[in-house]
Amino acid sequence: EAQVTQNPRYLITVTGKKLTVTCSQNMNHEYMSWYRQDPGLGLRQIYYSMNVEVTDKGDVPEGYKVSRKEKRNFPLILESPSPNQTSLYFCASSYTTGHYTFGSGTRLTVV
Amino acid sequence: EDQVTQSPEALRLQEGESSSLNCSYTVSGLRGLFWYRQDPGKGPEFLFTLYSAGEEKEKERLKATLTKKESFLHITAPKPEDSATYLCAVQPSTSGTYKYIFGTGTRLKVLA
């Protein structure tokens, strides 16, 4: 089954404790992206990747890092999480001009 | 500035009561317009892609249309299972990075 898999689904952590949210896709898509979704603000792009070793900032990149060492994986790293990064996170992938396939989401709470 | 605006923010319909959701966009060129459905706590699910003015796509009770400045998602005789948030996204053609711009969505509630 074609899908984007994110882990974990839920995560509660403390301020400053580094964490990684994993994302993997099995569709051989070139393009992958991370979004955060907050009430009233919609989906905002954090980082995206056009292909292996090619990444760039989206609209809200501060406090996040990404890497794309393999085509299928695109992890999101929070080096020092803060409470304002509490949000619902989605990984998505697509062919470069196609629609997104989204993961099921990661609900992150930073206390 | 590229922008996508969806209206209304929320809509309550009786089962069988047809209506339309609006997505207006301001971009210097359009590569594609996408509609997604999102259920609470889940990732958005793709519905339609529209590429040029006059284009229409249909799926069950949903029909999406596109003009030069806006798109409509028409819902005919909705059922309670159509309750969800509907998101519109635009891919500007002038962006070399295949960027997507999302609207904030319309929350639809269909009452039995």
Side-chain angles (χ1 to χ4, degrees):
Chain A
E1 181 190 352
Q3 60 184 2
V4 176
T5 303
Q6 288 179 234
N7 280 297
R9 289 294 313 276
Y10 302 92
L11 180 59
I12 301 174
T13 190
V14 296
T15 299
K17 185 177 181 182
K18 181 179 178 179
L19 66 92
T20 299
V21 184
T22 64
C23 173
S24 180
Q25 51 96 2
N26 63 1
M27 295 163 282
N28 202 37
H29 284 163
E30 300 94 349
Y31 189 84
M32 297 186 74
S33 187
W34 276 102
Y35 285 87
R36 61 178 289 173
Q37 188 175 40
D38 302 288
L41 296 177
L43 284 161
R44 293 181 293 167
Q45 191 177 48
I46 302 170
Y47 269 95
Y48 62 92
S49 170
M50 299 289 289
N51 214 322
V52 175
E53 303 293 359
V54 181
T55 63
D56 206 348
K57 298 176 180 178
D59 298 315
V60 288
E62 295 77 21
Y64 304 94
K65 283 176 58 177
V66 293
S67 68
R68 186 97 180 268
K69 293 183 169 54
E70 303 167 284
K71 196 171 187 178
R72 63 184 293 124
N73 295 325
F74 191 44
L76 179 70
I77 303 158
L78 284 73
E79 294 269 3
S80 182
S82 62
N84 64 12
Q85 292 179 296
T86 293
S87 187
L88 180 58
Y89 291 86
F90 289 103
C91 180
S93 72
S94 74
Y95 294 113
T96 50
T97 57
H99 65 270
Y100 275 134
T101 299
F102 283 87
S104 299
T106 296
R107 187 169 293 281
L108 172 66
T109 302
V110 184
V111 299
Chain B
E1 181 188 350
D2 296 332
Q3 197 168 1
V4 176
T5 303
Q6 291 188 247
S7 61
E9 284 187 21
L11 182 62
R12 290 167 70 94
L13 299 174
Q14 290 295 132
E15 184 173 4
E17 180 187 2
S18 301
S19 188
S20 296
L21 314 182
N22 178 262
C23 171
S24 63
Y25 60 92
T26 306
V27 295
S28 45
L30 181 70
R31 178 173 284 128
L33 185 143
F34 306 86
W35 282 98
Y36 293 85
R37 169 193 170 126
Q38 186 177 22
D39 293 300
K42 295 189 177 181
E45 179 185 336
F46 170 71
L47 292 173
F48 303 110
T49 307
L50 300 166
Y51 293 105
S52 56
E55 190 174 357
E56 300 182 349
K57 294 276 180 72
E58 215 165 335
K59 179 181 179 181
E60 296 180 358
R61 294 177 294 282
L62 299 177
K63 180 180 177 180
T65 61
L66 180 64
T67 72
K68 286 188 177 179
K69 290 298 178 189
E70 58 190 351
S71 177
F72 292 94
L73 185 65
H74 307 277
I75 304 177
T76 302
K79 298 182 177 181
E81 53 262 42
D82 295 322
S83 298
T85 296
Y86 291 85
L87 300 173
C88 170
V90 164
Q91 201 176 37
S93 61
T94 52
S95 170
T97 58
Y98 303 101
K99 187 178 179 65
Y100 295 81
I101 303 166
F102 280 87
T104 53
T106 293
R107 293 190 313 278
L108 174 65
K109 177 73 174 176
V110 182
L111 305 171

